[in-house]
């Protein structure tokens, strides 16, 4: 915009030298907050430069500078921190802390993310009912009627100047591949891309908006610069296809992948503001009135990242203080002790050979399921394992996802295929140095897709070609035959084939354990009192027949 301009006091409307009215329309976006409200590292109680309380400070600043506009959340707000676990366990008859903050900050709408379903339909439905804003997801429908599950697939907003804004919500349809079936029995999940293809032209025709926003809890399946696929095209993420194949979209808000993105794809302005309150997405759309019609003349996207100079909003901290205090007291309760050392000094080292902590995890799973084979993943690079006194803080920071357990009946062939999939996590350079496969680092880290097993003896020779890396696979000391059948316990995400473990899909389900893993571990520690750290060294990663030393 050029020339002398006069600001309208009620909005960002201005008049340029030619007498044409112009206006800047602002959209603020959060996504994948995962219950991170206080700027607190729940492992150490140290302050972090993230969290919704810090973003609230930025939200208030931006609203003072640019009154009006939108504030949207793009999903995964209800799960992910001990605060959320404490709420669900002890205080779920109250208002969810994330909903309380979003209500008070005046959010205009939210989109359900995949983790919204983790605590079951009761918690999700209550959160939706408590919200003073609508939840939008055109592709999630009631299983019986086919009606939108949360009331509205889209909403319309009209500014004082007459600009009509449409916001369509849509959620990755891949949720049934991860979620406990009991948690989603009430709903059906339609293909997100196909849903957008149906609704965008319908909204354009029926509502004739001046600005059409799609808020999509999903990410990008292709490199944003080259357009080449950056992951296996399963349908989990369809952001690139939405931009490329659906005309009529002005802005695409994304999430799910926890990436920091602000830019443009095929003429569509896109933003993705990370996770846990890392950043606030800010989109500004420039309009000019031409012959009584508002025309988009420009669009920008940026990420506002809170640093040490951005204090947490005191009102937000005050609103949540009682629940946060209760959480901290609960976290510091000692529930048992470790005799020895189960601490994790390096997550990479933990994945190169059997480790006491992972052996403990697998043994808890085997006891709960009544089987003698188990696999489990180190869920977070921040997992510290256990040492000395064990508190609820230790348990919840190592088991942050409310995964339940499933027992599958597998053949030896299935297990070999699963180990080959796991072995893809590592690559070997020309110098013989072992490294993490870049495919597990981009477009988002996927360390949780590397499994470690107990109850079998195996060796992964990662210097061999993919598909030929399992050079030892024994059960009770003898080779496991391809046709042999055994029962294996794993988390429900993996049992559904999550992480490209296709060999598990459709396999007989022998048993399901409905307690989540954090509860099972806590119960085990309380019941046992003192747990001996042990490790039977039943597996290792090798190069040229020698165990890898990192």
């Amino acid at each position: 915009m050029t020339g002398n301009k006069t600001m309208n006091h009620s909005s960002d409307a201005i008049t340029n030298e030619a007498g044409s009215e112009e206006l800047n329309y602002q959209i603020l976006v959060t996504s994948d907050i995962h219950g991170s409200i206080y700027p607190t590292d729940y492992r150490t109680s140290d302050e972090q430069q993230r969290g919704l309380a810090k973003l609230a400070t930025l939200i208030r600043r931006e609203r003072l500078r640019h009154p009006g506009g939108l504030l949207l959340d793009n999903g995964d707000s209800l799960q992910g921190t001990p605060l959320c676990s404490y709420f669900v366990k002890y205080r779920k008859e109250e208002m969810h802390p994330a909903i309380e903050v979003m209500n008070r900050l005046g959010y205009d709408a939210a989109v359900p993310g995949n983790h919204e379903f983790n605590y079951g339909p009761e918690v999700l439905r209550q959160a939706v009912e408590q919200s003073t804003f609508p939840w939008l997801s055109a592709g999630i429908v009631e299983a019986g009627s086919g009606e939108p599950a949360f009331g509205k697939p889209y909403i319309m907003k009209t500014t004082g100047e007459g600009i009509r804004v449409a916001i369509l919500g849509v959620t990755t349809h891949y949720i049934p591949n991860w979620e406990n079936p009991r948690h989603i029995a009430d709903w059906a999940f339609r293909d997100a891309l196909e849903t957008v293809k149906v609704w965008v032209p319908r909204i354009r025709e029926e509502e004739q908006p001046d600005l059409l926003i799609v808020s999509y809890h999903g990410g990008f399946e292709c490199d944003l610069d080259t357009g080449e696929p950056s992951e296996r095209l399963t349908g989990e993420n369809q952001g690139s296809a939405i931009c490329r194949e659906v005309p009529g979209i002005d802005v695409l808000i994304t999430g799910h992948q926890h990436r920091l993105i602000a830019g443009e794809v095929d003429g569509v302005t896109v933003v993705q503001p990370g996770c846990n309150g890392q950043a606030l997405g800010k989109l500004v759309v420039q309009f000019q009135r031409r012959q009584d019609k508002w025309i988009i003349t420009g669009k920008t996207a940026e990420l506002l990242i809170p640093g040490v100079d951005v204090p947490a909003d005191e009102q937000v901290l005050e609103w949540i203080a009682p629940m946060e205090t209760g959480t901290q007291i609960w976290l510091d309760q000692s529930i048992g002790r470790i005799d020895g050392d189960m601490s994790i000094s390096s997550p990479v080292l933990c994945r190169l050979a059997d480790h006491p902590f992972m052996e403990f995890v697998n043994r808890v799973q085997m006891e709960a399921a009544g089987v003698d084979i188990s696999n489990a993943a180190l869920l977070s690079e921040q997992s510290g394992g256990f040492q000395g006194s064990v508190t609820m803080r230790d348990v919840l920071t190592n088991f942050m996802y409310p995964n339940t357990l499933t027992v599958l009946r597998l053949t030896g062939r299935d297990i070999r295929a699963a180990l080959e999939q796991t072995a893809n996590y590592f690559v070997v350079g020309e110098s013989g140095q072992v490294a993490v496969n870049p495919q597990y680092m981009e477009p988002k880290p996927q360390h949780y897709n590397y499994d470690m097993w107990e109850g079998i003896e195996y060796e992964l020779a990662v210097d061999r070609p993919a598909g030929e890396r399992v050079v030892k696979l024994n059960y009770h000391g003898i080779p496991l035959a391809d046709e042999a059948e055994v029962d294996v316990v794993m988390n429900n995400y993996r049992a559904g084939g999550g992480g490209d473990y296709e060999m598990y899909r459709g396999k007989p389900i022998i048993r399901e354990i409905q307690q989540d893993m954090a509860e099972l571990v806590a119960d085990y520690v309380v019941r046992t009192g003192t747990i001996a750290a042990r490790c039977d060294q039943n597996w290792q990663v090798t190069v040229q027949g020698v165990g890898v030393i990192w």
Side-chain angles (χ1 to χ4, degrees), residues 109-112 134-141 146-156 166-171 190 195-196 198-200 202-203 206-207 212-215:
V111 174
W135 289 67
L136 314 174
S137 193
I140 304 177
V141 298
E147 293 297 313
F150 305 107
K152 296 181 179 181
Y154 74 94
I155 57 172
M156 295 295 301
I167 305 104
L168 172 67
V170 66
T171 305
R190 294 176 176 170
T195 297
V196 174
V198 168
W199 279 98
V200 165
R202 177 174 169 179
I203 293 169
E206 295 180 4
E207 304 288 357
L212 197 153
I213 301 164
V214 175
S215 187

Side-chain angles (χ1 to χ4, degrees), residues 452-466:
M452 292 158 274
W453 291 65
E454 193 62 40
I456 57 174
E457 305 88 48
Y458 64 96
E459 180 180 327
L460 305 179
V462 295
D463 55 332
R464 293 171 63 88

Side-chain angles (χ1 to χ4, degrees), residues 86-140:
Y86 174 74
F87 163 79
V88 168
K89 193 172 181 66
Y90 297 108
R91 309 272 289 267
K92 67 178 181 181
E93 72 282 354
E94 302 176 30
M95 183 175 289
H96 193 291
I99 298 301
E100 179 165 2
V101 174
M102 292 164 69
N103 282 346
R104 288 177 179 259
L105 289 177
Y107 273 72
D108 291 285
V111 174
N114 53 296
H115 285 288
E116 256 70 79
F117 297 86
N118 286 171
Y119 295 127
E122 179 186 342
V123 171
L124 176 52
R125 289 192 188 279
Q126 178 177 291
V128 172
E129 290 170 2
Q130 291 172 338
S131 301
T132 57
F133 49 85
W135 289 67
L136 314 174
S137 193
I140 304 177

Side-chain angles (χ1 to χ4, degrees), residues 333-387:
Q333 295 175 357
S334 178
I335 59 174
R337 289 193 58 80
I338 302 300
D339 181 11
D341 188 1
M342 289 187 193
S343 64
I344 298 171
S345 60
S346 162
V348 176
L349 286 173
C350 182
R351 297 185 179 103
L352 290 171
D354 197 16
H355 186 282
F357 180 73
M358 293 310 303
E359 179 151 329
F360 164 77
V361 173
N362 277 311
R363 292 195 181 280
V364 170
Q365 294 189 173
M366 289 189 290
E367 180 189 276
V371 300
D372 65 352
I373 303 179
S374 170
N375 68 55
L378 186 65
L379 297 177
S380 169
E381 297 306 275
Q382 284 70 51
S383 291
F386 294 157
Q387 186 176 25

Side-chain angles (χ1 to χ4, degrees), residues 25 70 156-167 210:
Y25 189 76
L70 292 172
M156 295 295 301
K157 294 281 187 177
T158 303
T159 71
E161 296 79 13
I163 294 177
R164 292 174 52 76
V165 182
I167 305 104
D210 302 299

